[in-house]
């Protein structure tokens, strides 16, 4: 019947084996049955099949969590890009993510169809962005102000020149959105290679049994809807498997590095006040009230002074004069991890003339 499930290769091998295998004599069957009953051992039927390395396909047991997040980001970004093109709200959702052979993927694609072969540098290989006929007709209809009543559901023909130009615009929007979705995980640069209409001319794998990841997206604009797909070989993203299976690897290192660079630039551009305290004289308040013009306060000049920022000692300096201004020469950096340890000349905050600091 047409609704029955097709026979697998295993079922076909069993049927062929049952036809070619000669029937055992009735006496031998009875003898073996009596021997099984007497021994009490229940024998199991073993189905043997030849192993063909060329027909075996790979099984992916790990779930690529980060790839699902990338697909969701792409759907949001592509929705905004289509709105800028159509000036109508477009709803894009992730329909499914399938790991299958490329032969199975190409068998389920109708022909003719728009198959766009793109590269994702620096990843090796090529990927496919598949736009079906009904999606192209839907975008053309909305772009030129139609309401979808004249769209033929079962129309199979080649694309016109106008439709091809619109496909190129939509493809550029899709590539921009997809590489933006990958930006926090891995920097890729997508570029267009060529377009095909027959799946047999758009092979992106070296073998039909090679594993691919096919993501189906559902697009709705008004009461019109269509599905489009992005297909890439599993070998293309296999070097990034650790990043794609670990949710914490979703751009944390790159974002931390960007924030660290931003903080470093802001800190370097900030201004601080460097204060150097030359000396302290312990004096009581009655003594200060009794001072008169011409009185002398005896002091002992220090050998070094300490420069502080917000009360925190940062430099140990010698004092002197440079260009008729009092200045500090750095002898030691107290916070070695904040500032370089090389010696330099730094003008004092007060920049008072040298004659004002002459010793009495």
């Amino acid at each position: 019947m047409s609704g029955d499930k097709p026979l697998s290769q295993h079922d076909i091998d069993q049927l062929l084996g049952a036809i070619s295998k000669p029937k055992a004599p009735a006496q031998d069957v009875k003898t073996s049955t009596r021997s099984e009953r007497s021994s009490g051992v229940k024998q199991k039927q073993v189905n043997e099949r030849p192993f063909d390395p060329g027909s075996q396909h790979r099984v992916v047991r790990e779930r690529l969590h980060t790839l699902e997040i990338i697909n969701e980001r792409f759907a949001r970004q592509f929705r905004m890009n289509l709105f800028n093109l159509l000036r109508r709200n477009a709803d894009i959702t992730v329909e499914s993510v399938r790991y299958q052979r490329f032969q199975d993927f190409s068998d389920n694609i109708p022909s003719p169809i728009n198959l766009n072969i793109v590269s994702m540098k620096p990843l090796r290989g090529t990927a496919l962005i598949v736009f079906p006929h009904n999606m192209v007709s839907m975008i053309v209809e909305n772009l030129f102000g139609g309401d979808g009543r004249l769209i033929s559901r079962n129309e199979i023909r080649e694309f016109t020149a106008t439709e091809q130009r619109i496909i190129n615009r939509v493809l550029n929007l899709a590539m921009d959105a997809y590489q933006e979705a990958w930006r926090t995980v891995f920097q890729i640069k997508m570029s267009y290679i060529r377009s095909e209409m027959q799946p047999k001319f758009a092979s992106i794998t070296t073998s039909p049994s090679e594993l691919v990841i096919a993501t189906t997206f559902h697009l709705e604009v008004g009461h019109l809807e269509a599905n489009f797909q992005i297909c890439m070989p599993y070998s293309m993203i296999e070097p990034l498997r650790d990043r794609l299976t670990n949710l914490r690897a979703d751009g944390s290192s790159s974002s931390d590095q960007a924030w660290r660079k931003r903080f470093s630039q802001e800190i370097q551009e900030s201004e601080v006040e460097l204060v150097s305290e030359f000396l302290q004289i312990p004096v009581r308040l009655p003594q200060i009230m009794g001072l008169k013009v011409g009185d002398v306060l005896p002091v002992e000049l220090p050998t070094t002074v300490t420069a502080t920022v917000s009360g925190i000692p940062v430099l140990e300096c010698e004092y002197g004069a440079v260009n008729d201004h009092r200045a500090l020469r750095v002898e030691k950096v107290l916070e070695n991890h904040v500032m370089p340890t090389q010696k330099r000349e730094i003008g004092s905050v007060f920049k008072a003339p040298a004659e004002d600091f002459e010793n009495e």
Side-chain angles (χ1 to χ4, degrees):
M1 296 177 65
S2 60
D4 294 340
K5 182 180 179 181
L7 295 177
S8 64
Q9 185 64 36
H10 177 67
D11 298 334
I12 295 175
D13 293 340
Q14 283 187 335
L15 292 175
L16 294 177
I19 295 175
S20 60
K21 184 177 180 180
K23 295 183 178 180
Q27 184 178 0
D28 296 342
V29 173
K30 294 180 181 179
T31 304
S32 61
T33 305
R34 288 196 299 269
S35 61
E36 291 177 1
R37 292 176 180 175
S38 61
S39 60
V41 179
K42 185 178 180 180
Q43 296 183 358
K44 296 182 179 180
Q45 184 179 3
V46 179
N47 297 323
E48 296 181 357
R49 295 180 59 188
F51 179 78
D52 185 7
S55 63
Q56 302 300 315
H57 64 276
R58 188 173 179 179
V59 178
V60 178
R61 303 186 184 276
E62 296 179 343
R63 185 176 177 181
L64 304 180
H65 300 279
T66 310
L67 184 60
E68 298 175 3
I69 298 177
I70 292 174
N71 292 331
E72 294 292 341
R73 290 177 177 173
F74 165 73
R76 292 194 299 268
Q77 185 65 35
F78 192 36
R79 183 188 305 120
M80 292 185 293
N81 293 348
L82 281 182
F83 176 78
N84 295 331
L85 175 65
L86 304 177
R87 294 303 175 183
R88 294 190 61 182
N89 290 326
D91 187 16
I92 303 177
T93 57
V94 182
E95 189 78 10
S96 63
V97 179
R98 294 183 179 180
Y99 304 85
Q100 57 185 348
R101 298 187 308 164
F102 181 73
Q103 182 66 42
D104 299 335
F105 171 77
S106 59
D107 290 343
N108 295 326
I109 296 178
S111 179
I113 195 172
N114 179 250
L115 301 169
N116 302 286
I117 304 176
V118 297
S119 63
M120 299 170 56
K121 299 297 182 182
L123 300 179
R124 300 182 60 183
T126 55
L128 285 178
I129 300 180
V130 183
F131 293 151
H133 252 286
N134 59 343
M135 175 183 171
V136 177
S137 301
M138 179 180 66
I139 294 177
V140 172
E141 186 79 5
N142 284 274
L143 191 61
F144 290 98
D147 56 1
R149 291 179 298 176
L150 302 179
I151 294 181
S152 177
R153 299 293 180 181
N154 299 321
E155 185 179 12
I156 299 178
R157 57 175 177 77
E158 294 186 358
F159 295 104
T160 63
T162 301
E163 290 175 334
Q164 192 62 50
R165 288 195 296 269
I166 295 176
I167 289 173
N168 293 337
R169 294 179 62 182
V170 176
L171 178 63
N172 291 331
L173 296 178
M175 290 192 300
D176 293 341
Y178 201 62
Q179 68 183 16
E180 178 65 22
W182 272 84
R183 184 176 59 84
T184 57
V185 179
F186 187 76
Q187 292 284 350
I188 64 171
K189 179 63 176 178
M190 300 190 68
S191 58
Y192 170 78
I193 298 178
R194 71 177 191 275
S195 295
E196 298 289 346
M197 299 192 66
Q198 300 293 336
K200 60 182 179 180
F201 298 129
S203 178
I204 57 175
T205 60
T206 57
S207 172
S209 60
E210 187 174 342
L211 191 67
V212 296
I213 303 176
T215 306
T216 303
F217 298 90
H218 184 70
L219 171 63
E220 291 185 9
V221 181
H223 64 278
L224 301 177
E225 58 183 21
N227 291 335
F228 67 96
Q229 294 177 306
I230 295 179
C231 177
M232 65 183 71
Y234 184 78
S235 58
M236 173 184 284
I237 62 174
E238 190 172 11
L240 306 176
R241 184 177 56 184
D242 294 338
R243 297 189 182 187
L244 298 178
T245 54
N246 185 7
L247 288 175
R248 297 180 59 88
D250 185 20
S252 58
S253 59
S254 59
S255 61
D256 291 345
Q257 185 177 3
W259 277 106
R260 190 179 298 110
K261 183 179 180 181
R262 179 71 177 273
F263 279 128
S264 177
Q265 293 177 351
E266 293 294 336
I267 291 175
Q268 291 178 3
E269 294 177 0
S270 60
E271 295 182 358
V272 296
E273 185 179 17
L274 184 68
V275 179
S276 59
E277 186 176 340
F278 190 73
L279 55 83
Q280 292 182 355
I281 303 176
V283 179
R284 295 182 180 274
L285 184 58
Q287 295 177 346
I288 296 178
M289 299 298 294
L291 291 177
K292 295 182 293 185
V293 179
D295 291 346
V296 177
L297 299 175
V299 296
E300 293 183 1
L301 297 179
T303 56
T304 59
V305 296
T306 301
T308 61
V309 175
S310 299
I312 300 176
V314 293
L315 300 174
E316 185 176 328
C317 312
E318 290 184 354
Y319 58 90
V322 174
N323 297 330
D324 296 333
H325 287 77
R326 290 294 184 181
L328 300 178
R329 185 173 65 183
V330 179
E331 294 292 333
K332 183 179 180 181
V333 179
L334 302 180
E335 295 291 338
N336 197 22
H337 63 281
V338 175
M339 301 177 62
T341 56
Q342 60 187 15
K343 293 184 178 180
R344 64 186 69 177
E345 292 184 355
I346 305 177
S348 174
V349 175
F350 300 103
K351 292 185 178 180
E355 56 269 15
D356 293 345
F357 288 87
E358 292 180 357
N359 294 332
E360 296 292 342

PDB file of all heavy atoms in Angstrom, residues 98 100-111 113 199 229:
ATOM      1  N   ARG A  98      18.127  18.681  12.057  1.00  0.00           N
ATOM      2  CA  ARG A  98      18.279  17.256  11.770  1.00  0.00           C
ATOM      3  C   ARG A  98      19.717  16.938  11.400  1.00  0.00           C
ATOM      4  O   ARG A  98      20.364  17.691  10.674  1.00  0.00           O
ATOM      5  CB  ARG A  98      17.345  16.831  10.632  1.00  0.00           C
ATOM      6  CG  ARG A  98      15.855  16.929  10.982  1.00  0.00           C
ATOM      7  CD  ARG A  98      15.003  16.420   9.828  1.00  0.00           C
ATOM      8  NE  ARG A  98      13.584  16.493  10.167  1.00  0.00           N
ATOM      9  CZ  ARG A  98      12.607  16.115   9.346  1.00  0.00           C
ATOM     10  NH1 ARG A  98      12.910  15.645   8.143  1.00  0.00           N
ATOM     11  NH2 ARG A  98      11.351  16.218   9.740  1.00  0.00           N
ATOM     12  N   GLN A 100      21.530  14.171   9.378  1.00  0.00           N
ATOM     13  CA  GLN A 100      21.198  13.135   8.415  1.00  0.00           C
ATOM     14  C   GLN A 100      22.245  13.088   7.319  1.00  0.00           C
ATOM     15  O   GLN A 100      23.119  13.953   7.217  1.00  0.00           O
ATOM     16  CB  GLN A 100      19.810  13.414   7.812  1.00  0.00           C
ATOM     17  CG  GLN A 100      19.695  14.776   7.159  1.00  0.00           C
ATOM     18  CD  GLN A 100      18.295  15.078   6.678  1.00  0.00           C
ATOM     19  OE1 GLN A 100      17.439  14.198   6.622  1.00  0.00           O
ATOM     20  NE2 GLN A 100      18.048  16.340   6.312  1.00  0.00           N
ATOM     21  N   ARG A 101      22.119  12.043   6.503  1.00  0.00           N
ATOM     22  CA  ARG A 101      23.019  11.935   5.363  1.00  0.00           C
ATOM     23  C   ARG A 101      22.654  12.984   4.318  1.00  0.00           C
ATOM     24  O   ARG A 101      21.486  13.364   4.189  1.00  0.00           O
ATOM     25  CB  ARG A 101      22.940  10.538   4.761  1.00  0.00           C
ATOM     26  CG  ARG A 101      23.363   9.412   5.685  1.00  0.00           C
ATOM     27  CD  ARG A 101      23.391   8.116   4.917  1.00  0.00           C
ATOM     28  NE  ARG A 101      22.130   7.895   4.211  1.00  0.00           N
ATOM     29  CZ  ARG A 101      21.979   7.013   3.215  1.00  0.00           C
ATOM     30  NH1 ARG A 101      23.026   6.322   2.798  1.00  0.00           N
ATOM     31  NH2 ARG A 101      20.807   6.856   2.632  1.00  0.00           N
ATOM     32  N   PHE A 102      23.653  13.393   3.568  1.00  0.00           N
ATOM     33  CA  PHE A 102      23.389  14.385   2.529  1.00  0.00           C
ATOM     34  C   PHE A 102      22.484  13.814   1.443  1.00  0.00           C
ATOM     35  O   PHE A 102      21.682  14.543   0.845  1.00  0.00           O
ATOM     36  CB  PHE A 102      24.703  14.874   1.915  1.00  0.00           C
ATOM     37  CG  PHE A 102      24.515  15.910   0.852  1.00  0.00           C
ATOM     38  CD1 PHE A 102      24.139  17.199   1.183  1.00  0.00           C
ATOM     39  CD2 PHE A 102      24.693  15.598  -0.490  1.00  0.00           C
ATOM     40  CE1 PHE A 102      23.947  18.159   0.209  1.00  0.00           C
ATOM     41  CE2 PHE A 102      24.506  16.556  -1.476  1.00  0.00           C
ATOM     42  CZ  PHE A 102      24.133  17.844  -1.117  1.00  0.00           C
ATOM     43  N   GLN A 103      22.567  12.505   1.204  1.00  0.00           N
ATOM     44  CA  GLN A 103      21.695  11.882   0.221  1.00  0.00           C
ATOM     45  C   GLN A 103      20.238  11.987   0.650  1.00  0.00           C
ATOM     46  O   GLN A 103      19.354  12.287  -0.161  1.00  0.00           O
ATOM     47  CB  GLN A 103      22.091  10.405   0.031  1.00  0.00           C
ATOM     48  CG  GLN A 103      21.282   9.667  -1.013  1.00  0.00           C
ATOM     49  CD  GLN A 103      21.540  10.212  -2.408  1.00  0.00           C
ATOM     50  OE1 GLN A 103      22.683  10.503  -2.775  1.00  0.00           O
ATOM     51  NE2 GLN A 103      20.482  10.368  -3.202  1.00  0.00           N
ATOM     52  N   ASP A 104      19.967  11.754   1.945  1.00  0.00           N
ATOM     53  CA  ASP A 104      18.596  11.891   2.440  1.00  0.00           C
ATOM     54  C   ASP A 104      18.118  13.337   2.364  1.00  0.00           C
ATOM     55  O   ASP A 104      16.938  13.594   2.082  1.00  0.00           O
ATOM     56  CB  ASP A 104      18.515  11.379   3.878  1.00  0.00           C
ATOM     57  CG  ASP A 104      18.886   9.914   3.992  1.00  0.00           C
ATOM     58  OD1 ASP A 104      18.730   9.200   2.982  1.00  0.00           O
ATOM     59  OD2 ASP A 104      19.345   9.493   5.070  1.00  0.00           O
ATOM     60  N   PHE A 105      19.011  14.262   2.630  1.00  0.00           N
ATOM     61  CA  PHE A 105      18.629  15.679   2.546  1.00  0.00           C
ATOM     62  C   PHE A 105      18.281  16.074   1.123  1.00  0.00           C
ATOM     63  O   PHE A 105      17.257  16.732   0.874  1.00  0.00           O
ATOM     64  CB  PHE A 105      19.772  16.542   3.080  1.00  0.00           C
ATOM     65  CG  PHE A 105      19.583  18.018   2.855  1.00  0.00           C
ATOM     66  CD1 PHE A 105      18.724  18.752   3.660  1.00  0.00           C
ATOM     67  CD2 PHE A 105      20.257  18.667   1.835  1.00  0.00           C
ATOM     68  CE1 PHE A 105      18.536  20.106   3.445  1.00  0.00           C
ATOM     69  CE2 PHE A 105      20.090  20.021   1.618  1.00  0.00           C
ATOM     70  CZ  PHE A 105      19.220  20.744   2.429  1.00  0.00           C
ATOM     71  N   SER A 106      19.109  15.685   0.156  1.00  0.00           N
ATOM     72  CA  SER A 106      18.865  16.061  -1.239  1.00  0.00           C
ATOM     73  C   SER A 106      17.649  15.351  -1.819  1.00  0.00           C
ATOM     74  O   SER A 106      16.972  15.900  -2.699  1.00  0.00           O
ATOM     75  CB  SER A 106      20.108  15.753  -2.082  1.00  0.00           C
ATOM     76  OG  SER A 106      20.428  14.372  -2.003  1.00  0.00           O
ATOM     77  N   ASP A 107      17.331  14.144  -1.318  1.00  0.00           N
ATOM     78  CA  ASP A 107      16.156  13.437  -1.826  1.00  0.00           C
ATOM     79  C   ASP A 107      14.861  14.124  -1.429  1.00  0.00           C
ATOM     80  O   ASP A 107      13.846  13.990  -2.127  1.00  0.00           O
ATOM     81  CB  ASP A 107      16.156  11.996  -1.319  1.00  0.00           C
ATOM     82  CG  ASP A 107      17.258  11.161  -1.963  1.00  0.00           C
ATOM     83  OD1 ASP A 107      17.792  11.591  -3.001  1.00  0.00           O
ATOM     84  OD2 ASP A 107      17.605  10.095  -1.407  1.00  0.00           O
ATOM     85  N   ASN A 108      14.866  14.833  -0.310  1.00  0.00           N
ATOM     86  CA  ASN A 108      13.657  15.500   0.168  1.00  0.00           C
ATOM     87  C   ASN A 108      13.490  16.918  -0.377  1.00  0.00           C
ATOM     88  O   ASN A 108      12.543  17.607  -0.006  1.00  0.00           O
ATOM     89  CB  ASN A 108      13.653  15.547   1.698  1.00  0.00           C
ATOM     90  CG  ASN A 108      13.573  14.170   2.315  1.00  0.00           C
ATOM     91  OD1 ASN A 108      12.936  13.271   1.761  1.00  0.00           O
ATOM     92  ND2 ASN A 108      14.219  13.976   3.457  1.00  0.00           N
ATOM     93  N   ILE A 109      14.418  17.357  -1.225  1.00  0.00           N
ATOM     94  CA  ILE A 109      14.341  18.702  -1.802  1.00  0.00           C
ATOM     95  C   ILE A 109      13.639  18.627  -3.149  1.00  0.00           C
ATOM     96  O   ILE A 109      14.042  17.843  -4.018  1.00  0.00           O
ATOM     97  CB  ILE A 109      15.744  19.311  -1.970  1.00  0.00           C
ATOM     98  CG1 ILE A 109      16.407  19.493  -0.608  1.00  0.00           C
ATOM     99  CG2 ILE A 109      15.667  20.656  -2.682  1.00  0.00           C
ATOM    100  CD1 ILE A 109      17.807  20.049  -0.696  1.00  0.00           C
ATOM    101  N   PRO A 110      12.597  19.418  -3.360  1.00  0.00           N
ATOM    102  CA  PRO A 110      11.953  19.415  -4.677  1.00  0.00           C
ATOM    103  C   PRO A 110      12.847  20.065  -5.722  1.00  0.00           C
ATOM    104  O   PRO A 110      13.760  20.835  -5.409  1.00  0.00           O
ATOM    105  CB  PRO A 110      10.675  20.235  -4.444  1.00  0.00           C
ATOM    106  CG  PRO A 110      11.007  21.124  -3.292  1.00  0.00           C
ATOM    107  CD  PRO A 110      11.936  20.337  -2.414  1.00  0.00           C
ATOM    108  N   SER A 111      12.582  19.742  -6.958  1.00  0.00           N
ATOM    109  CA  SER A 111      13.383  20.288  -8.057  1.00  0.00           C
ATOM    110  C   SER A 111      12.441  20.849  -9.109  1.00  0.00           C
ATOM    111  O   SER A 111      11.416  20.220  -9.432  1.00  0.00           O
ATOM    112  CB  SER A 111      14.260  19.184  -8.645  1.00  0.00           C
ATOM    113  OG  SER A 111      15.018  19.666  -9.722  1.00  0.00           O
ATOM    114  N   ILE A 113      14.732  24.248  -7.502  1.00  0.00           N
ATOM    115  CA  ILE A 113      14.701  25.028  -6.274  1.00  0.00           C
ATOM    116  C   ILE A 113      15.940  25.907  -6.255  1.00  0.00           C
ATOM    117  O   ILE A 113      16.919  25.623  -6.963  1.00  0.00           O
ATOM    118  CB  ILE A 113      14.656  24.096  -5.038  1.00  0.00           C
ATOM    119  CG1 ILE A 113      14.256  24.860  -3.774  1.00  0.00           C
ATOM    120  CG2 ILE A 113      15.979  23.384  -4.848  1.00  0.00           C
ATOM    121  CD1 ILE A 113      14.018  23.958  -2.580  1.00  0.00           C
ATOM    122  N   PRO A 199      19.549  19.699  -7.173  1.00  0.00           N
ATOM    123  CA  PRO A 199      20.354  19.242  -6.026  1.00  0.00           C
ATOM    124  C   PRO A 199      21.605  18.466  -6.419  1.00  0.00           C
ATOM    125  O   PRO A 199      22.603  18.507  -5.709  1.00  0.00           O
ATOM    126  CB  PRO A 199      19.367  18.367  -5.244  1.00  0.00           C
ATOM    127  CG  PRO A 199      18.017  18.842  -5.656  1.00  0.00           C
ATOM    128  CD  PRO A 199      18.147  19.263  -7.072  1.00  0.00           C
ATOM    129  N   GLN A 229      15.813  26.487   4.447  1.00  0.00           N
ATOM    130  CA  GLN A 229      16.763  25.645   5.162  1.00  0.00           C
ATOM    131  C   GLN A 229      18.180  26.174   5.031  1.00  0.00           C
ATOM    132  O   GLN A 229      18.533  26.837   4.046  1.00  0.00           O
ATOM    133  CB  GLN A 229      16.704  24.205   4.639  1.00  0.00           C
ATOM    134  CG  GLN A 229      15.398  23.484   4.917  1.00  0.00           C
ATOM    135  CD  GLN A 229      15.375  22.104   4.306  1.00  0.00           C
ATOM    136  OE1 GLN A 229      15.613  21.934   3.112  1.00  0.00           O
ATOM    137  NE2 GLN A 229      15.083  21.101   5.117  1.00  0.00           N
TER     138      GLN A 229
END
